[in-house]
Amino acid sequence: MKPFTYVVPKSLAEASEAGKQPNTVLKGAGVDLIDRMKERLQTPERIVNLLPLKDELAGVAVEASGELKIGATTTIAQLEQHEALANPALAGLQAAAALTASPQIRNRATVAGNILQFTRCWYVRSEAFHCLHGGRGPTCLAMTGENRYHAVLGWMDCVRVHPSNLAPPLLALDAEYSTRLGDKVRRRKFTDLFPAEPRAQTAEHTLEAGEIVTAIHVPKPAAGTRTAYCESREKLTFDWATTACAVKVVLAGGKIAAASVVLGAVAPVPLPRPKAAALLLGEAPSATLFQKVAEAAYAGASPLAHNDYKLVVGKAIVREALEQATR
Amino acid sequence: MTVPSDRGFSRRSFLKGSAVAGIATTGLTAAAHAVPAAPESFGPGRHEIALLVNGKEQKVTVETRTTLLDALRDGLDLTGCKKVCDRGSCGGCTVLMNGEPVTGCLVLAMDAVGQSLTTVESLTEGDTPHALVQNFVKCDAMQCGFCTPGMVMSSLACLQKRGKPTEEQMRTDLSGNLCRCGTYGRVMEAIQRTAAGGTGGGK
């Protein structure tokens, strides 16, 4: 790691102001950041530590409106273990938190950090490779290289995948996020956090310099809401997903009244599949229906040389998530 | 005590660091007139911090980039935690922070200030080793021993959290610790024996 100045802000305004300075990074636990700094992929001059701002940024609370507010620096373990998540409507979010990395990482890593982390593409994350991402080289090396963990959907000139476990269930639950930039407080839909055109030159998220995610808001789920999250991977524990799927269904009288399907680990952004979800509306849960939805979720996929297995496995994961949510 | 300077700290980076420090100082002095409330900052050079390790507050000199693992091993001579992958992938550097296992290699020493830290050394203080350590020996729960201190710390956290853990709970709690010799079965046996003996610090 290159030496840096460690800044301890006393307020969000101060943190945001410090974060706007050139060559400055805002840090939560730093799990992803320290890793990249050790690889010298990122060499900031200043790091602004957000962890001391616990009152402003940490903790989970159910608001008077029934909305769930998740502070940005809440750890993944705190989220998973919070009593509010013991609810069929939030089961997908709880499962995603429980499946993330290892106990050691979950005790440390923050919710916002999980969502804003850098891609895990092995070309992007190695100093030895000069790929298109971040303008380090002329081409995407994964596109023609070792790409078994890479994108099959929604990719443009860079085939990285978005690694967050928590983003798909939060998107399925129509979550929103609040940010602070200087004195400006904004609240937006979760989809706005990810780039519409995820090119190699585009950051993984749409935050401006110095903009701090302060909280994530999950609206009060409608009666009969159930969510589920499933992922495929090579190891039973402590691994990255090869494909993931979060689903939300609202069951009324044995029929599905509302639904969302969101894919993870198969595209450069967490990917809502509204056309697939629409097939569920007004229907009773069945294996045939789920098969149709799974096919639709992967419609238009363009697999690379080594990752067409993701279509087969990914569709099974969509079916599994739907079965769990309607069981 | 000081983190030895040969650990990734070259003359070149020292000179660069000094230059940056010089500029930063000038910058701060100039800014002090315009913005009175500049946030507190440390580094990039060395400075002393206090870490609360195994119930004792200890002074250690670190850089802002020093990890908790390096501060413990090189600064405080607590070499129980092992530097294996240095990327949070193996669990060899597991220590407890406020009772919860964390990987010391992915925590900045600066971030550990004010937190209660427990290392494997706390289990062998005094004449009688902790029951869990004794059971690791009795069950022969190690081969090369490199993962063992981290494995012991995750096992300790498992016992403290669960009391009498089920096999599934042990599998979950040990999932962040890799053992290339494959001692997992014996580690779980050691945890179960400690839980049965009631001296594992459980509930």
Side-chain angles (χ1 to χ4, degrees), chain A residues 35-67:
Chain A
D35 188 32
R36 281 184 284 133
M37 286 171 65
K38 285 182 180 178
E39 294 291 337
R40 301 220 168 189
L41 293 172
Q42 192 146 11
T43 51
E45 274 171 38
R46 273 171 302 276
I47 287 184
V48 182
N49 186 26
L50 298 174
L51 290 184
L53 303 172
K54 283 202 170 66
D55 291 346
E56 297 89 339
L57 295 174
V60 180
V62 182
E63 311 269 61
S65 61
E67 182 178 279

PDB file of all heavy atoms in Angstrom, chain A residues 35-67:
ATOM      1  N   ASP A  35      -7.921  -4.271  -0.070  1.00  0.00           N
ATOM      2  CA  ASP A  35      -7.518  -5.297  -1.022  1.00  0.00           C
ATOM      3  C   ASP A  35      -6.969  -4.652  -2.301  1.00  0.00           C
ATOM      4  O   ASP A  35      -5.886  -5.004  -2.785  1.00  0.00           O
ATOM      5  CB  ASP A  35      -8.767  -6.143  -1.323  1.00  0.00           C
ATOM      6  CG  ASP A  35      -8.472  -7.379  -2.145  1.00  0.00           C
ATOM      7  OD1 ASP A  35      -7.368  -7.922  -1.978  1.00  0.00           O
ATOM      8  OD2 ASP A  35      -9.325  -7.788  -2.931  1.00  0.00           O
ATOM      9  N   ARG A  36      -7.688  -3.679  -2.834  1.00  0.00           N
ATOM     10  CA  ARG A  36      -7.242  -3.027  -4.076  1.00  0.00           C
ATOM     11  C   ARG A  36      -6.013  -2.158  -3.863  1.00  0.00           C
ATOM     12  O   ARG A  36      -5.171  -2.026  -4.736  1.00  0.00           O
ATOM     13  CB  ARG A  36      -8.381  -2.184  -4.654  1.00  0.00           C
ATOM     14  CG  ARG A  36      -9.391  -3.041  -5.396  1.00  0.00           C
ATOM     15  CD  ARG A  36     -10.438  -2.193  -6.036  1.00  0.00           C
ATOM     16  NE  ARG A  36     -11.381  -1.702  -5.055  1.00  0.00           N
ATOM     17  CZ  ARG A  36     -11.791  -0.444  -4.978  1.00  0.00           C
ATOM     18  NH1 ARG A  36     -11.343   0.450  -5.815  1.00  0.00           N
ATOM     19  NH2 ARG A  36     -12.657  -0.084  -4.061  1.00  0.00           N
ATOM     20  N   MET A  37      -5.906  -1.582  -2.661  1.00  0.00           N
ATOM     21  CA  MET A  37      -4.724  -0.760  -2.374  1.00  0.00           C
ATOM     22  C   MET A  37      -3.481  -1.630  -2.254  1.00  0.00           C
ATOM     23  O   MET A  37      -2.385  -1.225  -2.642  1.00  0.00           O
ATOM     24  CB  MET A  37      -4.951   0.066  -1.111  1.00  0.00           C
ATOM     25  CG  MET A  37      -5.904   1.221  -1.366  1.00  0.00           C
ATOM     26  SD  MET A  37      -6.388   2.065   0.124  1.00  0.00           S
ATOM     27  CE  MET A  37      -4.828   2.735   0.651  1.00  0.00           C
ATOM     28  N   LYS A  38      -3.646  -2.838  -1.721  1.00  0.00           N
ATOM     29  CA  LYS A  38      -2.497  -3.747  -1.641  1.00  0.00           C
ATOM     30  C   LYS A  38      -2.027  -4.131  -3.037  1.00  0.00           C
ATOM     31  O   LYS A  38      -0.836  -4.364  -3.254  1.00  0.00           O
ATOM     32  CB  LYS A  38      -2.873  -4.999  -0.839  1.00  0.00           C
ATOM     33  CG  LYS A  38      -2.944  -4.731   0.660  1.00  0.00           C
ATOM     34  CD  LYS A  38      -3.276  -5.982   1.431  1.00  0.00           C
ATOM     35  CE  LYS A  38      -3.328  -5.672   2.927  1.00  0.00           C
ATOM     36  NZ  LYS A  38      -3.691  -6.843   3.721  1.00  0.00           N
ATOM     37  N   GLU A  39      -2.970  -4.239  -3.981  1.00  0.00           N
ATOM     38  CA  GLU A  39      -2.614  -4.543  -5.369  1.00  0.00           C
ATOM     39  C   GLU A  39      -2.140  -3.301  -6.122  1.00  0.00           C
ATOM     40  O   GLU A  39      -1.842  -3.385  -7.309  1.00  0.00           O
ATOM     41  CB  GLU A  39      -3.820  -5.141  -6.108  1.00  0.00           C
ATOM     42  CG  GLU A  39      -4.287  -6.501  -5.617  1.00  0.00           C
ATOM     43  CD  GLU A  39      -3.307  -7.616  -5.936  1.00  0.00           C
ATOM     44  OE1 GLU A  39      -2.503  -7.466  -6.864  1.00  0.00           O
ATOM     45  OE2 GLU A  39      -3.337  -8.641  -5.211  1.00  0.00           O
ATOM     46  N   ARG A  40      -2.183  -2.161  -5.450  1.00  0.00           N
ATOM     47  CA  ARG A  40      -1.840  -0.865  -6.053  1.00  0.00           C
ATOM     48  C   ARG A  40      -2.741  -0.527  -7.227  1.00  0.00           C
ATOM     49  O   ARG A  40      -2.329   0.164  -8.175  1.00  0.00           O
ATOM     50  CB  ARG A  40      -0.373  -0.829  -6.487  1.00  0.00           C
ATOM     51  CG  ARG A  40       0.542  -1.063  -5.299  1.00  0.00           C
ATOM     52  CD  ARG A  40       1.738  -0.181  -5.350  1.00  0.00           C
ATOM     53  NE  ARG A  40       2.433  -0.219  -4.076  1.00  0.00           N
ATOM     54  CZ  ARG A  40       3.420   0.582  -3.746  1.00  0.00           C
ATOM     55  NH1 ARG A  40       3.846   1.476  -4.598  1.00  0.00           N
ATOM     56  NH2 ARG A  40       3.999   0.498  -2.575  1.00  0.00           N
ATOM     57  N   LEU A  41      -3.953  -1.026  -7.187  1.00  0.00           N
ATOM     58  CA  LEU A  41      -4.923  -0.649  -8.218  1.00  0.00           C
ATOM     59  C   LEU A  41      -5.501   0.708  -7.883  1.00  0.00           C
ATOM     60  O   LEU A  41      -5.990   1.420  -8.734  1.00  0.00           O
ATOM     61  CB  LEU A  41      -6.063  -1.677  -8.277  1.00  0.00           C
ATOM     62  CG  LEU A  41      -5.648  -3.054  -8.770  1.00  0.00           C
ATOM     63  CD1 LEU A  41      -6.776  -4.039  -8.600  1.00  0.00           C
ATOM     64  CD2 LEU A  41      -5.236  -2.973 -10.231  1.00  0.00           C
ATOM     65  N   GLN A  42      -5.472   1.034  -6.616  1.00  0.00           N
ATOM     66  CA  GLN A  42      -5.932   2.342  -6.180  1.00  0.00           C
ATOM     67  C   GLN A  42      -4.893   2.887  -5.208  1.00  0.00           C
ATOM     68  O   GLN A  42      -4.475   2.180  -4.296  1.00  0.00           O
ATOM     69  CB  GLN A  42      -7.295   2.207  -5.497  1.00  0.00           C
ATOM     70  CG  GLN A  42      -7.945   3.535  -5.279  1.00  0.00           C
ATOM     71  CD  GLN A  42      -9.454   3.460  -5.394  1.00  0.00           C
ATOM     72  OE1 GLN A  42     -10.036   2.389  -5.443  1.00  0.00           O
ATOM     73  NE2 GLN A  42     -10.100   4.595  -5.442  1.00  0.00           N
ATOM     74  N   THR A  43      -4.461   4.138  -5.450  1.00  0.00           N
ATOM     75  CA  THR A  43      -3.402   4.713  -4.608  1.00  0.00           C
ATOM     76  C   THR A  43      -3.815   6.117  -4.171  1.00  0.00           C
ATOM     77  O   THR A  43      -3.217   7.101  -4.591  1.00  0.00           O
ATOM     78  CB  THR A  43      -2.074   4.770  -5.385  1.00  0.00           C
ATOM     79  OG1 THR A  43      -2.320   5.409  -6.651  1.00  0.00           O
ATOM     80  CG2 THR A  43      -1.494   3.396  -5.633  1.00  0.00           C
ATOM     81  N   PRO A  44      -4.851   6.200  -3.329  1.00  0.00           N
ATOM     82  CA  PRO A  44      -5.324   7.519  -2.921  1.00  0.00           C
ATOM     83  C   PRO A  44      -4.318   8.244  -2.022  1.00  0.00           C
ATOM     84  O   PRO A  44      -3.525   7.593  -1.339  1.00  0.00           O
ATOM     85  CB  PRO A  44      -6.611   7.222  -2.147  1.00  0.00           C
ATOM     86  CG  PRO A  44      -6.448   5.830  -1.659  1.00  0.00           C
ATOM     87  CD  PRO A  44      -5.598   5.122  -2.666  1.00  0.00           C
ATOM     88  N   GLU A  45      -4.379   9.576  -2.050  1.00  0.00           N
ATOM     89  CA  GLU A  45      -3.543  10.361  -1.142  1.00  0.00           C
ATOM     90  C   GLU A  45      -4.218  10.530   0.208  1.00  0.00           C
ATOM     91  O   GLU A  45      -3.568  10.700   1.219  1.00  0.00           O
ATOM     92  CB  GLU A  45      -3.292  11.751  -1.739  1.00  0.00           C
ATOM     93  CG  GLU A  45      -2.105  11.797  -2.678  1.00  0.00           C
ATOM     94  CD  GLU A  45      -2.033  13.116  -3.415  1.00  0.00           C
ATOM     95  OE1 GLU A  45      -2.338  14.164  -2.803  1.00  0.00           O
ATOM     96  OE2 GLU A  45      -1.682  13.085  -4.611  1.00  0.00           O
ATOM     97  N   ARG A  46      -5.555  10.521   0.165  1.00  0.00           N
ATOM     98  CA  ARG A  46      -6.314  10.707   1.410  1.00  0.00           C
ATOM     99  C   ARG A  46      -7.442   9.691   1.483  1.00  0.00           C
ATOM    100  O   ARG A  46      -8.108   9.413   0.485  1.00  0.00           O
ATOM    101  CB  ARG A  46      -6.938  12.110   1.454  1.00  0.00           C
ATOM    102  CG  ARG A  46      -6.048  13.192   2.028  1.00  0.00           C
ATOM    103  CD  ARG A  46      -6.684  14.555   1.822  1.00  0.00           C
ATOM    104  NE  ARG A  46      -6.913  14.775   0.398  1.00  0.00           N
ATOM    105  CZ  ARG A  46      -5.973  15.230  -0.440  1.00  0.00           C
ATOM    106  NH1 ARG A  46      -4.783  15.540  -0.002  1.00  0.00           N
ATOM    107  NH2 ARG A  46      -6.249  15.371  -1.720  1.00  0.00           N
ATOM    108  N   ILE A  47      -7.657   9.156   2.690  1.00  0.00           N
ATOM    109  CA  ILE A  47      -8.800   8.267   2.928  1.00  0.00           C
ATOM    110  C   ILE A  47      -9.633   8.899   4.035  1.00  0.00           C
ATOM    111  O   ILE A  47      -9.110   9.259   5.096  1.00  0.00           O
ATOM    112  CB  ILE A  47      -8.321   6.863   3.319  1.00  0.00           C
ATOM    113  CG1 ILE A  47      -7.755   6.183   2.077  1.00  0.00           C
ATOM    114  CG2 ILE A  47      -9.451   6.038   3.918  1.00  0.00           C
ATOM    115  CD1 ILE A  47      -7.341   4.770   2.290  1.00  0.00           C
ATOM    116  N   VAL A  48     -10.907   9.067   3.765  1.00  0.00           N
ATOM    117  CA  VAL A  48     -11.806   9.641   4.757  1.00  0.00           C
ATOM    118  C   VAL A  48     -12.565   8.496   5.409  1.00  0.00           C
ATOM    119  O   VAL A  48     -13.279   7.752   4.740  1.00  0.00           O
ATOM    120  CB  VAL A  48     -12.788  10.634   4.094  1.00  0.00           C
ATOM    121  CG1 VAL A  48     -13.691  11.263   5.139  1.00  0.00           C
ATOM    122  CG2 VAL A  48     -12.025  11.697   3.320  1.00  0.00           C
ATOM    123  N   ASN A  49     -12.375   8.330   6.711  1.00  0.00           N
ATOM    124  CA  ASN A  49     -12.969   7.198   7.420  1.00  0.00           C
ATOM    125  C   ASN A  49     -14.389   7.532   7.877  1.00  0.00           C
ATOM    126  O   ASN A  49     -14.591   8.432   8.685  1.00  0.00           O
ATOM    127  CB  ASN A  49     -12.092   6.849   8.633  1.00  0.00           C
ATOM    128  CG  ASN A  49     -12.561   5.598   9.330  1.00  0.00           C
ATOM    129  OD1 ASN A  49     -13.185   4.733   8.710  1.00  0.00           O
ATOM    130  ND2 ASN A  49     -12.299   5.488  10.623  1.00  0.00           N
ATOM    131  N   LEU A  50     -15.360   6.801   7.363  1.00  0.00           N
ATOM    132  CA  LEU A  50     -16.759   7.074   7.708  1.00  0.00           C
ATOM    133  C   LEU A  50     -17.227   6.298   8.949  1.00  0.00           C
ATOM    134  O   LEU A  50     -18.287   6.578   9.491  1.00  0.00           O
ATOM    135  CB  LEU A  50     -17.673   6.720   6.529  1.00  0.00           C
ATOM    136  CG  LEU A  50     -17.444   7.524   5.240  1.00  0.00           C
ATOM    137  CD1 LEU A  50     -18.309   6.974   4.119  1.00  0.00           C
ATOM    138  CD2 LEU A  50     -17.753   9.002   5.467  1.00  0.00           C
ATOM    139  N   LEU A  51     -16.431   5.318   9.393  1.00  0.00           N
ATOM    140  CA  LEU A  51     -16.881   4.448  10.492  1.00  0.00           C
ATOM    141  C   LEU A  51     -17.222   5.183  11.790  1.00  0.00           C
ATOM    142  O   LEU A  51     -18.151   4.770  12.488  1.00  0.00           O
ATOM    143  CB  LEU A  51     -15.841   3.352  10.772  1.00  0.00           C
ATOM    144  CG  LEU A  51     -15.686   2.264   9.707  1.00  0.00           C
ATOM    145  CD1 LEU A  51     -14.688   1.220  10.180  1.00  0.00           C
ATOM    146  CD2 LEU A  51     -17.010   1.601   9.385  1.00  0.00           C
ATOM    147  N   PRO A  52     -16.480   6.270  12.146  1.00  0.00           N
ATOM    148  CA  PRO A  52     -16.848   6.926  13.415  1.00  0.00           C
ATOM    149  C   PRO A  52     -18.220   7.598  13.391  1.00  0.00           C
ATOM    150  O   PRO A  52     -18.770   7.892  14.442  1.00  0.00           O
ATOM    151  CB  PRO A  52     -15.753   7.988  13.601  1.00  0.00           C
ATOM    152  CG  PRO A  52     -14.639   7.583  12.697  1.00  0.00           C
ATOM    153  CD  PRO A  52     -15.277   6.875  11.553  1.00  0.00           C
ATOM    154  N   LEU A  53     -18.792   7.843  12.195  1.00  0.00           N
ATOM    155  CA  LEU A  53     -20.081   8.537  12.120  1.00  0.00           C
ATOM    156  C   LEU A  53     -21.227   7.543  12.320  1.00  0.00           C
ATOM    157  O   LEU A  53     -22.116   7.396  11.490  1.00  0.00           O
ATOM    158  CB  LEU A  53     -20.214   9.264  10.775  1.00  0.00           C
ATOM    159  CG  LEU A  53     -19.097  10.270  10.464  1.00  0.00           C
ATOM    160  CD1 LEU A  53     -19.219  10.788   9.043  1.00  0.00           C
ATOM    161  CD2 LEU A  53     -19.118  11.426  11.458  1.00  0.00           C
ATOM    162  N   LYS A  54     -21.186   6.855  13.452  1.00  0.00           N
ATOM    163  CA  LYS A  54     -22.148   5.777  13.727  1.00  0.00           C
ATOM    164  C   LYS A  54     -23.581   6.289  13.831  1.00  0.00           C
ATOM    165  O   LYS A  54     -24.498   5.667  13.315  1.00  0.00           O
ATOM    166  CB  LYS A  54     -21.769   5.080  15.037  1.00  0.00           C
ATOM    167  CG  LYS A  54     -20.600   4.123  14.909  1.00  0.00           C
ATOM    168  CD  LYS A  54     -20.650   3.106  16.056  1.00  0.00           C
ATOM    169  CE  LYS A  54     -19.668   1.987  15.844  1.00  0.00           C
ATOM    170  NZ  LYS A  54     -18.273   2.436  15.900  1.00  0.00           N
ATOM    171  N   ASP A  55     -23.769   7.422  14.508  1.00  0.00           N
ATOM    172  CA  ASP A  55     -25.127   7.933  14.706  1.00  0.00           C
ATOM    173  C   ASP A  55     -25.796   8.231  13.371  1.00  0.00           C
ATOM    174  O   ASP A  55     -26.987   8.018  13.196  1.00  0.00           O
ATOM    175  CB  ASP A  55     -25.101   9.210  15.557  1.00  0.00           C
ATOM    176  CG  ASP A  55     -24.705   8.906  16.997  1.00  0.00           C
ATOM    177  OD1 ASP A  55     -24.717   7.708  17.355  1.00  0.00           O
ATOM    178  OD2 ASP A  55     -24.379   9.849  17.740  1.00  0.00           O
ATOM    179  N   GLU A  56     -25.006   8.749  12.434  1.00  0.00           N
ATOM    180  CA  GLU A  56     -25.558   9.143  11.138  1.00  0.00           C
ATOM    181  C   GLU A  56     -25.685   7.954  10.185  1.00  0.00           C
ATOM    182  O   GLU A  56     -26.514   7.963   9.298  1.00  0.00           O
ATOM    183  CB  GLU A  56     -24.658  10.193  10.466  1.00  0.00           C
ATOM    184  CG  GLU A  56     -24.541  11.514  11.215  1.00  0.00           C
ATOM    185  CD  GLU A  56     -23.404  11.529  12.229  1.00  0.00           C
ATOM    186  OE1 GLU A  56     -22.959  10.436  12.651  1.00  0.00           O
ATOM    187  OE2 GLU A  56     -22.962  12.635  12.597  1.00  0.00           O
ATOM    188  N   LEU A  57     -24.798   6.935  10.336  1.00  0.00           N
ATOM    189  CA  LEU A  57     -24.668   5.944   9.264  1.00  0.00           C
ATOM    190  C   LEU A  57     -24.922   4.485   9.653  1.00  0.00           C
ATOM    191  O   LEU A  57     -25.094   3.652   8.768  1.00  0.00           O
ATOM    192  CB  LEU A  57     -23.259   6.041   8.649  1.00  0.00           C
ATOM    193  CG  LEU A  57     -22.905   7.338   7.920  1.00  0.00           C
ATOM    194  CD1 LEU A  57     -21.441   7.318   7.497  1.00  0.00           C
ATOM    195  CD2 LEU A  57     -23.793   7.544   6.709  1.00  0.00           C
ATOM    196  N   ALA A  58     -24.917   4.156  10.949  1.00  0.00           N
ATOM    197  CA  ALA A  58     -24.989   2.730  11.294  1.00  0.00           C
ATOM    198  C   ALA A  58     -26.328   2.364  11.938  1.00  0.00           C
ATOM    199  O   ALA A  58     -26.995   3.206  12.526  1.00  0.00           O
ATOM    200  CB  ALA A  58     -23.848   2.359  12.233  1.00  0.00           C
ATOM    201  N   GLY A  59     -26.706   1.109  11.785  1.00  0.00           N
ATOM    202  CA  GLY A  59     -27.882   0.576  12.477  1.00  0.00           C
ATOM    203  C   GLY A  59     -29.058   0.307  11.551  1.00  0.00           C
ATOM    204  O   GLY A  59     -29.162   0.861  10.457  1.00  0.00           O
ATOM    205  N   VAL A  60     -29.928  -0.602  12.005  1.00  0.00           N
ATOM    206  CA  VAL A  60     -31.135  -0.962  11.257  1.00  0.00           C
ATOM    207  C   VAL A  60     -32.328  -0.540  12.105  1.00  0.00           C
ATOM    208  O   VAL A  60     -32.319  -0.742  13.323  1.00  0.00           O
ATOM    209  CB  VAL A  60     -31.188  -2.494  11.021  1.00  0.00           C
ATOM    210  CG1 VAL A  60     -32.426  -2.891  10.237  1.00  0.00           C
ATOM    211  CG2 VAL A  60     -29.929  -2.964  10.291  1.00  0.00           C
ATOM    212  N   ALA A  61     -33.331   0.067  11.492  1.00  0.00           N
ATOM    213  CA  ALA A  61     -34.510   0.491  12.252  1.00  0.00           C
ATOM    214  C   ALA A  61     -35.762   0.349  11.410  1.00  0.00           C
ATOM    215  O   ALA A  61     -35.721   0.530  10.196  1.00  0.00           O
ATOM    216  CB  ALA A  61     -34.342   1.948  12.695  1.00  0.00           C
ATOM    217  N   VAL A  62     -36.869  -0.001  12.072  1.00  0.00           N
ATOM    218  CA  VAL A  62     -38.162  -0.003  11.380  1.00  0.00           C
ATOM    219  C   VAL A  62     -38.823   1.328  11.705  1.00  0.00           C
ATOM    220  O   VAL A  62     -39.049   1.666  12.863  1.00  0.00           O
ATOM    221  CB  VAL A  62     -39.051  -1.179  11.847  1.00  0.00           C
ATOM    222  CG1 VAL A  62     -40.362  -1.184  11.080  1.00  0.00           C
ATOM    223  CG2 VAL A  62     -38.324  -2.504  11.652  1.00  0.00           C
ATOM    224  N   GLU A  63     -39.074   2.140  10.663  1.00  0.00           N
ATOM    225  CA  GLU A  63     -39.648   3.469  10.850  1.00  0.00           C
ATOM    226  C   GLU A  63     -41.140   3.360  11.176  1.00  0.00           C
ATOM    227  O   GLU A  63     -41.759   2.302  10.977  1.00  0.00           O
ATOM    228  CB  GLU A  63     -39.480   4.293   9.561  1.00  0.00           C
ATOM    229  CG  GLU A  63     -38.080   4.281   8.997  1.00  0.00           C
ATOM    230  CD  GLU A  63     -37.199   5.391   9.500  1.00  0.00           C
ATOM    231  OE1 GLU A  63     -36.959   5.449  10.725  1.00  0.00           O
ATOM    232  OE2 GLU A  63     -36.750   6.185   8.667  1.00  0.00           O
ATOM    233  N   ALA A  64     -41.728   4.470  11.633  1.00  0.00           N
ATOM    234  CA  ALA A  64     -43.157   4.493  11.976  1.00  0.00           C
ATOM    235  C   ALA A  64     -44.020   4.072  10.781  1.00  0.00           C
ATOM    236  O   ALA A  64     -45.058   3.427  10.933  1.00  0.00           O
ATOM    237  CB  ALA A  64     -43.542   5.891  12.450  1.00  0.00           C
ATOM    238  N   SER A  65     -43.563   4.391   9.563  1.00  0.00           N
ATOM    239  CA  SER A  65     -44.324   4.047   8.347  1.00  0.00           C
ATOM    240  C   SER A  65     -44.244   2.560   8.005  1.00  0.00           C
ATOM    241  O   SER A  65     -44.907   2.103   7.072  1.00  0.00           O
ATOM    242  CB  SER A  65     -43.765   4.842   7.176  1.00  0.00           C
ATOM    243  OG  SER A  65     -42.393   4.490   6.983  1.00  0.00           O
ATOM    244  N   GLY A  66     -43.422   1.817   8.741  1.00  0.00           N
ATOM    245  CA  GLY A  66     -43.242   0.398   8.439  1.00  0.00           C
ATOM    246  C   GLY A  66     -42.064   0.163   7.498  1.00  0.00           C
ATOM    247  O   GLY A  66     -41.711  -0.978   7.199  1.00  0.00           O
ATOM    248  N   GLU A  67     -41.464   1.264   7.029  1.00  0.00           N
ATOM    249  CA  GLU A  67     -40.302   1.162   6.141  1.00  0.00           C
ATOM    250  C   GLU A  67     -39.071   0.725   6.946  1.00  0.00           C
ATOM    251  O   GLU A  67     -38.909   1.129   8.083  1.00  0.00           O
ATOM    252  CB  GLU A  67     -40.075   2.559   5.563  1.00  0.00           C
ATOM    253  CG  GLU A  67     -38.960   2.692   4.597  1.00  0.00           C
ATOM    254  CD  GLU A  67     -38.891   4.126   4.071  1.00  0.00           C
ATOM    255  OE1 GLU A  67     -39.665   4.452   3.155  1.00  0.00           O
ATOM    256  OE2 GLU A  67     -38.090   4.909   4.598  1.00  0.00           O
TER     257      GLU A  67
END
